[in-house]
Amino acid sequence: MLKSQDILVGLKIFIYRNRDWTIAAVAHAVGLSASEVHAALKRLALSRLYDPTQRKIVVLAMEEFLTHGFKYVFPAEFQGLDRGLPTGVGGPVLSLKFSLLPGEMPVWACVDGPERGLALKPLHPNVPIIALKDAQWYAIISLLDALRTGKIREQAAAVEQIRNFLKGKENFLSESPKH
């Protein structure tokens, strides 16, 4: 059975796809121990989302899981209003496409967060910390939160961007006009 930290590990390995990586490097990047990363890789392999012989994410399987199953395996949990780091439709990709009313923005509670909004329990406690260090990783995790929390149009936009990310399109963060 997949754990939330497995998704953190899988996405980081995908980001590392064009370079050599070590379990220690992934562990450091996502704030887990090497043994937790090793266990995550085993669960990802068992779920057929990771190929241990090639040391790569199985892109088609990951796309199918993220776009169709993720929101059911890891449902959203809101925790009231708080200050935090914007995510979901308020995150770095979709905030360029959709407007939100004050107080509607989903955020990961974070002392240094720039926005006040609906506090969404992050996929894993390390998510806000990692997001502040890695813009690409922040973008993809916030898109996954849009799948968990967004309306139909927002989810469709998130799916399109997740697919662009998994196709390796470096410009998946490109700006688009707001709707």
Side-chain angles (χ1 to χ4, degrees):
M1 178 178 275
L2 287 176
K3 294 184 176 183
S4 61
Q5 64 202 43
D6 303 348
I7 303 306
L8 309 185
V9 169
L11 292 174
K12 183 50 82 172
I13 288 171
F14 181 78
I15 289 170
Y16 287 163
R17 70 193 171 279
N18 294 325
R19 31 187 171 149
D20 288 333
W21 55 268
T22 64
I23 287 179
V26 173
H28 178 74
V30 297
L32 298 172
S33 70
S35 63
E36 288 173 310
V37 170
H38 183 72
L41 291 173
K42 282 186 171 187
R43 288 186 295 270
L44 287 165
L46 186 62
S47 298
R48 298 187 186 126
L49 298 173
Y50 171 72
D51 181 345
T53 58
Q54 294 191 4
R55 295 177 41 106
K56 294 185 182 222
I57 294 301
V58 180
V59 176
L60 290 176
M62 185 63 86
E63 178 185 335
E64 182 178 4
F65 173 70
L66 293 178
T67 60
H68 297 292
F70 178 79
K71 67 182 179 180
Y72 300 108
V73 176
F74 302 107
E77 295 178 50
F78 284 101
Q79 303 170 317
L81 291 174
D82 208 338
R83 178 158 292 287
L85 193 60
T87 187
V89 71
V93 179
L94 296 182
S95 66
L96 302 171
K97 295 182 178 199
F98 298 98
S99 298
L100 294 171
L101 296 173
E104 281 188 340
M105 181 175 301
V107 299
W108 297 312
C110 178
V111 177
D112 300 327
E115 298 289 336
R116 185 161 173 76
L118 295 170
L120 174 65
K121 183 177 178 184
L123 184 61
H124 186 276
N126 294 350
V127 164
I129 298 161
I130 304 164
L132 290 170
K133 297 176 186 176
D134 185 333
Q136 189 176 27
W137 194 88
Y138 174 26
I140 191 66
I141 293 292
S142 69
L143 287 169
L144 292 176
D145 279 347
L147 291 179
R148 299 191 309 156
T149 63
K151 296 176 180 120
I152 291 172
R153 280 185 44 225
E154 297 160 353
Q155 288 180 3
V159 165
E160 178 184 352
Q161 292 300 321
I162 290 166
R163 286 184 173 142
N164 287 340
F165 168 75
L166 291 171
K167 288 176 184 170
K169 293 185 178 178
E170 297 302 324
N171 63 347
F172 93 100
L173 293 172
S174 65
E175 293 189 24
S176 314
K178 291 188 179 189
H179 290 117

